[in-house]
PDB file of all heavy atoms in Angstrom:
ATOM      1  N   PHE A1373      11.590  13.263 -10.430  1.00 93.00           N
ATOM      2  CA  PHE A1373      12.788  13.572  -9.601  1.00 93.00           C
ATOM      3  C   PHE A1373      12.847  12.596  -8.409  1.00 93.00           C
ATOM      4  O   PHE A1373      11.806  12.271  -7.800  1.00 93.00           O
ATOM      5  CB  PHE A1373      12.784  14.972  -9.141  1.00 93.00           C
ATOM      6  CG  PHE A1373      12.864  15.962 -10.254  1.00 93.00           C
ATOM      7  CD1 PHE A1373      11.868  16.922 -10.493  1.00 93.00           C
ATOM      8  CD2 PHE A1373      13.968  15.997 -11.057  1.00 93.00           C
ATOM      9  CE1 PHE A1373      11.924  17.753 -11.565  1.00 93.00           C
ATOM     10  CE2 PHE A1373      14.081  16.859 -12.143  1.00 93.00           C
ATOM     11  CZ  PHE A1373      13.048  17.818 -12.316  1.00 93.00           C
ATOM     12  N   TRP A1374      14.016  12.128  -8.041  1.00 95.00           N
ATOM     13  CA  TRP A1374      14.199  11.311  -6.861  1.00 95.00           C
ATOM     14  C   TRP A1374      15.115  12.145  -5.868  1.00 95.00           C
ATOM     15  O   TRP A1374      16.167  12.589  -6.170  1.00 95.00           O
ATOM     16  CB  TRP A1374      14.903  10.046  -7.198  1.00 95.00           C
ATOM     17  CG  TRP A1374      13.887   9.066  -7.893  1.00 95.00           C
ATOM     18  CD1 TRP A1374      13.744   8.810  -9.232  1.00 95.00           C
ATOM     19  CD2 TRP A1374      13.153   8.179  -7.192  1.00 95.00           C
ATOM     20  NE1 TRP A1374      12.803   7.861  -9.417  1.00 95.00           N
ATOM     21  CE2 TRP A1374      12.345   7.397  -8.182  1.00 95.00           C
ATOM     22  CE3 TRP A1374      12.772   7.893  -5.877  1.00 95.00           C
ATOM     23  CZ2 TRP A1374      11.373   6.486  -7.993  1.00 95.00           C
ATOM     24  CZ3 TRP A1374      11.776   6.902  -5.547  1.00 95.00           C
ATOM     25  CH2 TRP A1374      11.114   6.172  -6.600  1.00 95.00           C
ATOM     26  N   TYR A1375      14.546  12.173  -4.589  1.00 94.00           N
ATOM     27  CA  TYR A1375      15.212  12.850  -3.551  1.00 94.00           C
ATOM     28  C   TYR A1375      15.558  11.862  -2.412  1.00 94.00           C
ATOM     29  O   TYR A1375      14.880  10.812  -2.269  1.00 94.00           O
ATOM     30  CB  TYR A1375      14.372  13.907  -2.919  1.00 94.00           C
ATOM     31  CG  TYR A1375      14.138  15.093  -3.793  1.00 94.00           C
ATOM     32  CD1 TYR A1375      13.160  15.163  -4.741  1.00 94.00           C
ATOM     33  CD2 TYR A1375      14.930  16.256  -3.741  1.00 94.00           C
ATOM     34  CE1 TYR A1375      12.858  16.236  -5.558  1.00 94.00           C
ATOM     35  CE2 TYR A1375      14.669  17.406  -4.497  1.00 94.00           C
ATOM     36  CZ  TYR A1375      13.590  17.363  -5.396  1.00 94.00           C
ATOM     37  OH  TYR A1375      13.393  18.457  -6.248  1.00 94.00           O
ATOM     38  N   ARG A1376      16.580  12.262  -1.654  1.00 93.00           N
ATOM     39  CA  ARG A1376      16.815  11.481  -0.442  1.00 93.00           C
ATOM     40  C   ARG A1376      16.875  12.514   0.728  1.00 93.00           C
ATOM     41  O   ARG A1376      17.440  13.648   0.553  1.00 93.00           O
ATOM     42  CB  ARG A1376      18.152  10.772  -0.630  1.00 93.00           C
ATOM     43  CG  ARG A1376      18.658  10.006   0.614  1.00 93.00           C
ATOM     44  CD  ARG A1376      19.870   9.168   0.254  1.00 93.00           C
ATOM     45  NE  ARG A1376      20.948   9.881  -0.391  1.00 93.00           N
ATOM     46  CZ  ARG A1376      22.096   9.337  -0.837  1.00 93.00           C
ATOM     47  NH1 ARG A1376      22.195   8.034  -0.697  1.00 93.00           N
ATOM     48  NH2 ARG A1376      22.954  10.038  -1.393  1.00 93.00           N
ATOM     49  N   GLN A1377      16.408  12.160   1.852  1.00 88.00           N
ATOM     50  CA  GLN A1377      16.473  12.985   3.037  1.00 88.00           C
ATOM     51  C   GLN A1377      16.969  12.225   4.246  1.00 88.00           C
ATOM     52  O   GLN A1377      16.339  11.259   4.674  1.00 88.00           O
ATOM     53  CB  GLN A1377      15.133  13.599   3.355  1.00 88.00           C
ATOM     54  CG  GLN A1377      15.118  14.605   4.459  1.00 88.00           C
ATOM     55  CD  GLN A1377      13.849  15.115   4.939  1.00 88.00           C
ATOM     56  OE1 GLN A1377      12.832  14.435   4.723  1.00 88.00           O
ATOM     57  NE2 GLN A1377      13.792  16.265   5.489  1.00 88.00           N
ATOM     58  N   PHE A1378      18.130  12.584   4.761  1.00 85.00           N
ATOM     59  CA  PHE A1378      18.604  12.015   5.975  1.00 85.00           C
ATOM     60  C   PHE A1378      18.005  12.854   7.137  1.00 85.00           C
ATOM     61  O   PHE A1378      17.624  14.040   6.927  1.00 85.00           O
ATOM     62  CB  PHE A1378      20.115  12.098   6.056  1.00 85.00           C
ATOM     63  CG  PHE A1378      20.791  11.181   5.006  1.00 85.00           C
ATOM     64  CD1 PHE A1378      21.458  11.673   3.901  1.00 85.00           C
ATOM     65  CD2 PHE A1378      20.714   9.782   5.160  1.00 85.00           C
ATOM     66  CE1 PHE A1378      21.980  10.891   2.935  1.00 85.00           C
ATOM     67  CE2 PHE A1378      21.340   8.946   4.264  1.00 85.00           C
ATOM     68  CZ  PHE A1378      21.936   9.486   3.145  1.00 85.00           C
ATOM     69  N   PRO A1379      18.013  12.283   8.329  1.00 79.00           N
ATOM     70  CA  PRO A1379      17.384  12.846   9.476  1.00 79.00           C
ATOM     71  C   PRO A1379      17.943  14.298   9.733  1.00 79.00           C
ATOM     72  O   PRO A1379      19.173  14.547   9.661  1.00 79.00           O
ATOM     73  CB  PRO A1379      17.675  11.984  10.641  1.00 79.00           C
ATOM     74  CG  PRO A1379      17.826  10.631  10.016  1.00 79.00           C
ATOM     75  CD  PRO A1379      18.435  10.886   8.689  1.00 79.00           C
ATOM     76  N   LYS A1380      17.021  15.307   9.897  1.00 75.00           N
ATOM     77  CA  LYS A1380      17.428  16.607  10.204  1.00 75.00           C
ATOM     78  C   LYS A1380      18.239  17.309   9.022  1.00 75.00           C
ATOM     79  O   LYS A1380      18.901  18.225   9.178  1.00 75.00           O
ATOM     80  CB  LYS A1380      18.163  16.802  11.479  1.00 75.00           C
ATOM     81  CG  LYS A1380      17.351  16.290  12.701  1.00 75.00           C
ATOM     82  CD  LYS A1380      18.096  16.617  13.961  1.00 75.00           C
ATOM     83  CE  LYS A1380      17.235  16.083  15.161  1.00 75.00           C
ATOM     84  NZ  LYS A1380      17.830  16.377  16.360  1.00 75.00           N
ATOM     85  N   GLN A1381      18.136  16.790   7.869  1.00 80.00           N
ATOM     86  CA  GLN A1381      18.820  17.301   6.660  1.00 80.00           C
ATOM     87  C   GLN A1381      17.794  17.807   5.664  1.00 80.00           C
ATOM     88  O   GLN A1381      16.548  17.447   5.716  1.00 80.00           O
ATOM     89  CB  GLN A1381      19.750  16.269   6.080  1.00 80.00           C
ATOM     90  CG  GLN A1381      20.914  15.926   7.031  1.00 80.00           C
ATOM     91  CD  GLN A1381      21.854  17.019   7.338  1.00 80.00           C
ATOM     92  OE1 GLN A1381      22.256  17.832   6.516  1.00 80.00           O
ATOM     93  NE2 GLN A1381      22.153  17.188   8.566  1.00 80.00           N
ATOM     94  N   SER A1382      18.288  18.452   4.678  1.00 82.00           N
ATOM     95  CA  SER A1382      17.401  18.825   3.575  1.00 82.00           C
ATOM     96  C   SER A1382      17.128  17.748   2.630  1.00 82.00           C
ATOM     97  O   SER A1382      17.786  16.754   2.593  1.00 82.00           O
ATOM     98  CB  SER A1382      18.059  20.003   2.908  1.00 82.00           C
ATOM     99  OG  SER A1382      17.238  20.455   1.783  1.00 82.00           O
ATOM    100  N   LEU A1383      16.119  18.005   1.838  1.00 85.00           N
ATOM    101  CA  LEU A1383      15.872  17.153   0.674  1.00 85.00           C
ATOM    102  C   LEU A1383      17.024  17.259  -0.355  1.00 85.00           C
ATOM    103  O   LEU A1383      17.322  18.443  -0.773  1.00 85.00           O
ATOM    104  CB  LEU A1383      14.595  17.420  -0.004  1.00 85.00           C
ATOM    105  CG  LEU A1383      13.284  17.246   0.744  1.00 85.00           C
ATOM    106  CD1 LEU A1383      12.209  17.964   0.085  1.00 85.00           C
ATOM    107  CD2 LEU A1383      13.076  15.667   0.840  1.00 85.00           C
ATOM    108  N   MET A1384      17.702  16.206  -0.741  1.00 89.00           N
ATOM    109  CA  MET A1384      18.782  16.373  -1.677  1.00 89.00           C
ATOM    110  C   MET A1384      18.363  15.558  -2.976  1.00 89.00           C
ATOM    111  O   MET A1384      18.027  14.451  -2.984  1.00 89.00           O
ATOM    112  CB  MET A1384      20.033  15.682  -1.138  1.00 89.00           C
ATOM    113  CG  MET A1384      20.560  16.420   0.063  1.00 89.00           C
ATOM    114  SD  MET A1384      20.960  18.070  -0.198  1.00 89.00           S
ATOM    115  CE  MET A1384      22.288  17.909  -1.360  1.00 89.00           C
ATOM    116  N   LEU A1385      18.407  16.317  -4.054  1.00 90.00           N
ATOM    117  CA  LEU A1385      18.110  15.788  -5.287  1.00 90.00           C
ATOM    118  C   LEU A1385      19.159  14.751  -5.683  1.00 90.00           C
ATOM    119  O   LEU A1385      20.368  15.027  -5.760  1.00 90.00           O
ATOM    120  CB  LEU A1385      18.029  16.794  -6.419  1.00 90.00           C
ATOM    121  CG  LEU A1385      17.647  16.406  -7.813  1.00 90.00           C
ATOM    122  CD1 LEU A1385      16.199  15.760  -7.837  1.00 90.00           C
ATOM    123  CD2 LEU A1385      17.784  17.516  -8.809  1.00 90.00           C
ATOM    124  N   MET A1386      18.653  13.466  -6.044  1.00 93.00           N
ATOM    125  CA  MET A1386      19.651  12.491  -6.309  1.00 93.00           C
ATOM    126  C   MET A1386      19.815  12.346  -7.808  1.00 93.00           C
ATOM    127  O   MET A1386      20.889  12.216  -8.415  1.00 93.00           O
ATOM    128  CB  MET A1386      19.132  11.110  -5.838  1.00 93.00           C
ATOM    129  CG  MET A1386      19.097  10.961  -4.340  1.00 93.00           C
ATOM    130  SD  MET A1386      18.396   9.388  -3.909  1.00 93.00           S
ATOM    131  CE  MET A1386      19.619   8.287  -4.421  1.00 93.00           C
ATOM    132  N   ALA A1387      18.617  12.297  -8.604  1.00 94.00           N
ATOM    133  CA  ALA A1387      18.610  12.095  -9.916  1.00 94.00           C
ATOM    134  C   ALA A1387      17.351  12.383 -10.567  1.00 94.00           C
ATOM    135  O   ALA A1387      16.243  12.569  -9.866  1.00 94.00           O
ATOM    136  CB  ALA A1387      18.939  10.588 -10.220  1.00 94.00           C
ATOM    137  N   THR A1388      17.328  12.486 -11.776  1.00 93.00           N
ATOM    138  CA  THR A1388      16.141  12.804 -12.632  1.00 93.00           C
ATOM    139  C   THR A1388      15.941  11.614 -13.525  1.00 93.00           C
ATOM    140  O   THR A1388      16.752  11.247 -14.336  1.00 93.00           O
ATOM    141  CB  THR A1388      16.267  14.082 -13.457  1.00 93.00           C
ATOM    142  OG1 THR A1388      16.623  15.168 -12.585  1.00 93.00           O
ATOM    143  CG2 THR A1388      15.036  14.388 -14.217  1.00 93.00           C
ATOM    144  N   SER A1389      14.677  10.993 -13.498  1.00 94.00           N
ATOM    145  CA  SER A1389      14.470   9.892 -14.370  1.00 94.00           C
ATOM    146  C   SER A1389      13.671  10.389 -15.606  1.00 94.00           C
ATOM    147  O   SER A1389      12.889  11.351 -15.510  1.00 94.00           O
ATOM    148  CB  SER A1389      13.633   8.744 -13.683  1.00 94.00           C
ATOM    149  OG  SER A1389      12.220   9.248 -13.523  1.00 94.00           O
ATOM    150  N   ASN A1390      13.936   9.867 -16.729  1.00 91.00           N
ATOM    151  CA  ASN A1390      13.440  10.363 -18.043  1.00 91.00           C
ATOM    152  C   ASN A1390      12.843   9.127 -18.723  1.00 91.00           C
ATOM    153  O   ASN A1390      13.498   8.119 -18.935  1.00 91.00           O
ATOM    154  CB  ASN A1390      14.474  10.975 -18.889  1.00 91.00           C
ATOM    155  CG  ASN A1390      15.247  12.061 -18.122  1.00 91.00           C
ATOM    156  OD1 ASN A1390      14.660  13.149 -17.817  1.00 91.00           O
ATOM    157  ND2 ASN A1390      16.481  11.989 -17.885  1.00 91.00           N
ATOM    158  N   GLU A1391      11.598   9.267 -19.026  1.00 90.00           N
ATOM    159  CA  GLU A1391      10.985   8.163 -19.795  1.00 90.00           C
ATOM    160  C   GLU A1391      11.596   7.986 -21.259  1.00 90.00           C
ATOM    161  O   GLU A1391      11.706   8.984 -21.993  1.00 90.00           O
ATOM    162  CB  GLU A1391       9.458   8.429 -19.929  1.00 90.00           C
ATOM    163  CG  GLU A1391       8.629   7.295 -20.411  1.00 90.00           C
ATOM    164  CD  GLU A1391       8.492   7.259 -21.952  1.00 90.00           C
ATOM    165  OE1 GLU A1391       8.601   8.295 -22.572  1.00 90.00           O
ATOM    166  OE2 GLU A1391       8.215   6.149 -22.415  1.00 90.00           O
ATOM    167  N   GLY A1392      12.017   6.720 -21.517  1.00 86.00           N
ATOM    168  CA  GLY A1392      12.614   6.466 -22.767  1.00 86.00           C
ATOM    169  C   GLY A1392      14.078   6.797 -22.901  1.00 86.00           C
ATOM    170  O   GLY A1392      14.724   6.596 -23.957  1.00 86.00           O
ATOM    171  N   SER A1393      14.758   7.230 -21.823  1.00 88.00           N
ATOM    172  CA  SER A1393      16.126   7.581 -21.875  1.00 88.00           C
ATOM    173  C   SER A1393      16.806   7.339 -20.518  1.00 88.00           C
ATOM    174  O   SER A1393      16.148   7.123 -19.584  1.00 88.00           O
ATOM    175  CB  SER A1393      16.420   8.976 -22.481  1.00 88.00           C
ATOM    176  OG  SER A1393      15.878   9.878 -21.519  1.00 88.00           O
ATOM    177  N   LYS A1394      18.126   7.516 -20.508  1.00 91.00           N
ATOM    178  CA  LYS A1394      18.822   7.268 -19.242  1.00 91.00           C
ATOM    179  C   LYS A1394      18.523   8.309 -18.188  1.00 91.00           C
ATOM    180  O   LYS A1394      18.267   9.557 -18.601  1.00 91.00           O
ATOM    181  CB  LYS A1394      20.311   7.253 -19.514  1.00 91.00           C
ATOM    182  CG  LYS A1394      20.824   6.024 -20.305  1.00 91.00           C
ATOM    183  CD  LYS A1394      22.360   6.106 -20.477  1.00 91.00           C
ATOM    184  CE  LYS A1394      22.787   4.847 -21.258  1.00 91.00           C
ATOM    185  NZ  LYS A1394      24.232   4.822 -21.460  1.00 91.00           N
ATOM    186  N   ALA A1395      18.602   7.926 -16.983  1.00 93.00           N
ATOM    187  CA  ALA A1395      18.456   8.960 -15.904  1.00 93.00           C
ATOM    188  C   ALA A1395      19.623   9.877 -15.778  1.00 93.00           C
ATOM    189  O   ALA A1395      20.756   9.509 -16.271  1.00 93.00           O
ATOM    190  CB  ALA A1395      18.249   8.215 -14.580  1.00 93.00           C
ATOM    191  N   THR A1396      19.430  11.048 -15.350  1.00 93.00           N
ATOM    192  CA  THR A1396      20.451  11.975 -15.127  1.00 93.00           C
ATOM    193  C   THR A1396      20.783  12.070 -13.628  1.00 93.00           C
ATOM    194  O   THR A1396      19.848  12.355 -12.777  1.00 93.00           O
ATOM    195  CB  THR A1396      20.068  13.427 -15.503  1.00 93.00           C
ATOM    196  OG1 THR A1396      19.647  13.347 -16.892  1.00 93.00           O
ATOM    197  CG2 THR A1396      21.239  14.431 -15.378  1.00 93.00           C
ATOM    198  N   TYR A1397      22.038  11.851 -13.163  1.00 95.00           N
ATOM    199  CA  TYR A1397      22.355  11.775 -11.880  1.00 95.00           C
ATOM    200  C   TYR A1397      23.099  13.079 -11.388  1.00 95.00           C
ATOM    201  O   TYR A1397      23.836  13.636 -12.099  1.00 95.00           O
ATOM    202  CB  TYR A1397      23.299  10.505 -11.555  1.00 95.00           C
ATOM    203  CG  TYR A1397      22.532   9.251 -11.702  1.00 95.00           C
ATOM    204  CD1 TYR A1397      22.395   8.657 -12.913  1.00 95.00           C
ATOM    205  CD2 TYR A1397      22.126   8.565 -10.563  1.00 95.00           C
ATOM    206  CE1 TYR A1397      21.762   7.462 -13.049  1.00 95.00           C
ATOM    207  CE2 TYR A1397      21.490   7.334 -10.632  1.00 95.00           C
ATOM    208  CZ  TYR A1397      21.214   6.751 -11.859  1.00 95.00           C
ATOM    209  OH  TYR A1397      20.625   5.553 -12.019  1.00 95.00           O
ATOM    210  N   GLU A1398      22.796  13.428 -10.120  1.00 92.00           N
ATOM    211  CA  GLU A1398      23.464  14.581  -9.509  1.00 92.00           C
ATOM    212  C   GLU A1398      24.918  14.147  -9.150  1.00 92.00           C
ATOM    213  O   GLU A1398      25.208  12.948  -8.955  1.00 92.00           O
ATOM    214  CB  GLU A1398      22.704  15.117  -8.313  1.00 92.00           C
ATOM    215  CG  GLU A1398      21.400  15.615  -8.709  1.00 92.00           C
ATOM    216  CD  GLU A1398      21.454  16.918  -9.672  1.00 92.00           C
ATOM    217  OE1 GLU A1398      22.099  17.798  -9.395  1.00 92.00           O
ATOM    218  OE2 GLU A1398      20.762  16.750 -10.759  1.00 92.00           O
ATOM    219  N   GLN A1399      25.745  15.189  -9.055  1.00 90.00           N
ATOM    220  CA  GLN A1399      27.145  14.924  -8.652  1.00 90.00           C
ATOM    221  C   GLN A1399      27.227  14.213  -7.314  1.00 90.00           C
ATOM    222  O   GLN A1399      26.545  14.590  -6.329  1.00 90.00           O
ATOM    223  CB  GLN A1399      27.837  16.244  -8.648  1.00 90.00           C
ATOM    224  CG  GLN A1399      29.342  16.112  -8.482  1.00 90.00           C
ATOM    225  CD  GLN A1399      30.040  17.504  -8.571  1.00 90.00           C
ATOM    226  OE1 GLN A1399      29.452  18.523  -8.569  1.00 90.00           O
ATOM    227  NE2 GLN A1399      31.396  17.465  -8.655  1.00 90.00           N
ATOM    228  N   GLY A1400      28.009  13.179  -7.278  1.00 91.00           N
ATOM    229  CA  GLY A1400      28.288  12.463  -6.025  1.00 91.00           C
ATOM    230  C   GLY A1400      27.239  11.289  -5.873  1.00 91.00           C
ATOM    231  O   GLY A1400      27.428  10.533  -4.962  1.00 91.00           O
ATOM    232  N   VAL A1401      26.305  11.103  -6.684  1.00 93.00           N
ATOM    233  CA  VAL A1401      25.366   9.996  -6.564  1.00 93.00           C
ATOM    234  C   VAL A1401      25.829   8.822  -7.499  1.00 93.00           C
ATOM    235  O   VAL A1401      26.032   9.038  -8.674  1.00 93.00           O
ATOM    236  CB  VAL A1401      23.924  10.375  -6.926  1.00 93.00           C
ATOM    237  CG1 VAL A1401      23.024   9.247  -6.943  1.00 93.00           C
ATOM    238  CG2 VAL A1401      23.491  11.546  -6.109  1.00 93.00           C
ATOM    239  N   GLU A1402      25.982   7.630  -6.934  1.00 93.00           N
ATOM    240  CA  GLU A1402      26.495   6.487  -7.729  1.00 93.00           C
ATOM    241  C   GLU A1402      25.426   5.932  -8.549  1.00 93.00           C
ATOM    242  O   GLU A1402      24.432   5.312  -8.073  1.00 93.00           O
ATOM    243  CB  GLU A1402      27.041   5.432  -6.749  1.00 93.00           C
ATOM    244  CG  GLU A1402      28.263   5.889  -5.844  1.00 93.00           C
ATOM    245  CD  GLU A1402      28.578   4.840  -4.815  1.00 93.00           C
ATOM    246  OE1 GLU A1402      28.934   3.758  -5.287  1.00 93.00           O
ATOM    247  OE2 GLU A1402      28.490   5.124  -3.670  1.00 93.00           O
ATOM    248  N   LYS A1403      25.555   6.017  -9.869  1.00 93.00           N
ATOM    249  CA  LYS A1403      24.572   5.491 -10.797  1.00 93.00           C
ATOM    250  C   LYS A1403      24.463   4.015 -10.798  1.00 93.00           C
ATOM    251  O   LYS A1403      23.428   3.424 -11.004  1.00 93.00           O
ATOM    252  CB  LYS A1403      24.727   6.031 -12.156  1.00 93.00           C
ATOM    253  CG  LYS A1403      26.090   5.603 -12.765  1.00 93.00           C
ATOM    254  CD  LYS A1403      26.217   6.136 -14.235  1.00 93.00           C
ATOM    255  CE  LYS A1403      26.326   7.666 -14.167  1.00 93.00           C
ATOM    256  NZ  LYS A1403      26.581   8.204 -15.616  1.00 93.00           N
ATOM    257  N   ASP A1404      25.516   3.341 -10.433  1.00 94.00           N
ATOM    258  CA  ASP A1404      25.528   1.808 -10.380  1.00 94.00           C
ATOM    259  C   ASP A1404      24.884   1.355  -9.090  1.00 94.00           C
ATOM    260  O   ASP A1404      24.515   0.243  -9.041  1.00 94.00           O
ATOM    261  CB  ASP A1404      26.884   1.308 -10.543  1.00 94.00           C
ATOM    262  CG  ASP A1404      27.504   1.542 -11.927  1.00 94.00           C
ATOM    263  OD1 ASP A1404      26.711   1.749 -12.867  1.00 94.00           O
ATOM    264  OD2 ASP A1404      28.691   1.768 -11.940  1.00 94.00           O
ATOM    265  N   LYS A1405      24.834   2.208  -8.058  1.00 96.00           N
ATOM    266  CA  LYS A1405      24.205   1.810  -6.870  1.00 96.00           C
ATOM    267  C   LYS A1405      22.740   2.155  -6.834  1.00 96.00           C
ATOM    268  O   LYS A1405      21.938   1.408  -6.254  1.00 96.00           O
ATOM    269  CB  LYS A1405      24.936   2.450  -5.652  1.00 96.00           C
ATOM    270  CG  LYS A1405      24.352   2.090  -4.269  1.00 96.00           C
ATOM    271  CD  LYS A1405      25.210   2.514  -3.118  1.00 96.00           C
ATOM    272  CE  LYS A1405      24.679   2.134  -1.923  1.00 96.00           C
ATOM    273  NZ  LYS A1405      24.732   0.550  -1.818  1.00 96.00           N
ATOM    274  N   PHE A1406      22.360   3.279  -7.315  1.00 97.00           N
ATOM    275  CA  PHE A1406      21.047   3.692  -7.374  1.00 97.00           C
ATOM    276  C   PHE A1406      20.525   3.665  -8.865  1.00 97.00           C
ATOM    277  O   PHE A1406      20.727   4.603  -9.629  1.00 97.00           O
ATOM    278  CB  PHE A1406      20.920   5.156  -6.792  1.00 97.00           C
ATOM    279  CG  PHE A1406      21.352   5.276  -5.408  1.00 97.00           C
ATOM    280  CD1 PHE A1406      22.616   5.675  -5.088  1.00 97.00           C
ATOM    281  CD2 PHE A1406      20.453   4.894  -4.356  1.00 97.00           C
ATOM    282  CE1 PHE A1406      23.079   5.841  -3.777  1.00 97.00           C
ATOM    283  CE2 PHE A1406      20.932   4.972  -3.054  1.00 97.00           C
ATOM    284  CZ  PHE A1406      22.196   5.455  -2.759  1.00 97.00           C
ATOM    285  N   LEU A1407      19.908   2.517  -9.111  1.00 96.00           N
ATOM    286  CA  LEU A1407      19.419   2.346 -10.488  1.00 96.00           C
ATOM    287  C   LEU A1407      18.002   2.912 -10.673  1.00 96.00           C
ATOM    288  O   LEU A1407      17.217   2.564  -9.863  1.00 96.00           O
ATOM    289  CB  LEU A1407      19.446   0.792 -10.824  1.00 96.00           C
ATOM    290  CG  LEU A1407      20.754   0.083 -10.698  1.00 96.00           C
ATOM    291  CD1 LEU A1407      20.539  -1.409 -10.976  1.00 96.00           C
ATOM    292  CD2 LEU A1407      21.746   0.693 -11.585  1.00 96.00           C
ATOM    293  N   ILE A1408      17.949   3.606 -11.705  1.00 95.00           N
ATOM    294  CA  ILE A1408      16.651   4.296 -11.943  1.00 95.00           C
ATOM    295  C   ILE A1408      16.123   3.898 -13.336  1.00 95.00           C
ATOM    296  O   ILE A1408      16.930   3.991 -14.256  1.00 95.00           O
ATOM    297  CB  ILE A1408      16.745   5.875 -11.836  1.00 95.00           C
ATOM    298  CG1 ILE A1408      16.986   6.272 -10.354  1.00 95.00           C
ATOM    299  CG2 ILE A1408      15.530   6.559 -12.440  1.00 95.00           C
ATOM    300  CD1 ILE A1408      17.203   7.749 -10.143  1.00 95.00           C
ATOM    301  N   ASN A1409      14.965   3.574 -13.313  1.00 93.00           N
ATOM    302  CA  ASN A1409      14.288   3.087 -14.612  1.00 93.00           C
ATOM    303  C   ASN A1409      12.933   3.828 -14.726  1.00 93.00           C
ATOM    304  O   ASN A1409      12.081   3.704 -13.821  1.00 93.00           O
ATOM    305  CB  ASN A1409      14.156   1.620 -14.587  1.00 93.00           C
ATOM    306  CG  ASN A1409      13.441   1.089 -15.850  1.00 93.00           C
ATOM    307  OD1 ASN A1409      13.709   1.681 -16.904  1.00 93.00           O
ATOM    308  ND2 ASN A1409      12.728  -0.005 -15.793  1.00 93.00           N
ATOM    309  N   HIS A1410      12.716   4.444 -15.807  1.00 93.00           N
ATOM    310  CA  HIS A1410      11.407   5.103 -16.072  1.00 93.00           C
ATOM    311  C   HIS A1410      10.705   4.224 -17.183  1.00 93.00           C
ATOM    312  O   HIS A1410      10.773   4.533 -18.264  1.00 93.00           O
ATOM    313  CB  HIS A1410      11.685   6.534 -16.558  1.00 93.00           C
ATOM    314  CG  HIS A1410      10.537   7.454 -16.321  1.00 93.00           C
ATOM    315  ND1 HIS A1410      10.609   8.601 -15.592  1.00 93.00           N
ATOM    316  CD2 HIS A1410       9.330   7.419 -16.839  1.00 93.00           C
ATOM    317  CE1 HIS A1410       9.518   9.222 -15.601  1.00 93.00           C
ATOM    318  NE2 HIS A1410       8.635   8.530 -16.327  1.00 93.00           N
ATOM    319  N   ALA A1411      10.022   3.235 -16.595  1.00 86.00           N
ATOM    320  CA  ALA A1411       9.534   2.238 -17.514  1.00 86.00           C
ATOM    321  C   ALA A1411       8.349   2.733 -18.397  1.00 86.00           C
ATOM    322  O   ALA A1411       8.157   2.185 -19.522  1.00 86.00           O
ATOM    323  CB  ALA A1411       9.044   1.001 -16.698  1.00 86.00           C
ATOM    324  N   SER A1412       7.544   3.575 -17.902  1.00 90.00           N
ATOM    325  CA  SER A1412       6.415   4.017 -18.664  1.00 90.00           C
ATOM    326  C   SER A1412       6.099   5.492 -18.245  1.00 90.00           C
ATOM    327  O   SER A1412       6.778   6.060 -17.346  1.00 90.00           O
ATOM    328  CB  SER A1412       5.218   3.141 -18.423  1.00 90.00           C
ATOM    329  OG  SER A1412       4.686   3.324 -17.052  1.00 90.00           O
TER     330      SER A1412
END
Side-chain angles (χ1 to χ4, degrees):
Chain A
F1373 295 117
W1374 285 95
Y1375 291 86
R1376 178 170 52 183
Q1377 184 187 23
F1378 292 109
K1380 298 185 179 180
Q1381 297 295 315
S1382 177
L1383 294 164
M1384 296 300 297
L1385 181 64
M1386 298 175 65
T1388 303
S1389 72
N1390 304 294
E1391 192 270 337
S1393 64
K1394 291 182 179 180
T1396 305
Y1397 290 82
E1398 295 299 304
Q1399 191 174 9
V1401 177
E1402 300 174 58
K1403 61 179 66 176
D1404 294 331
K1405 180 168 185 62
F1406 299 98
L1407 301 179
I1408 289 176
N1409 182 30
H1410 203 121
S1412 72

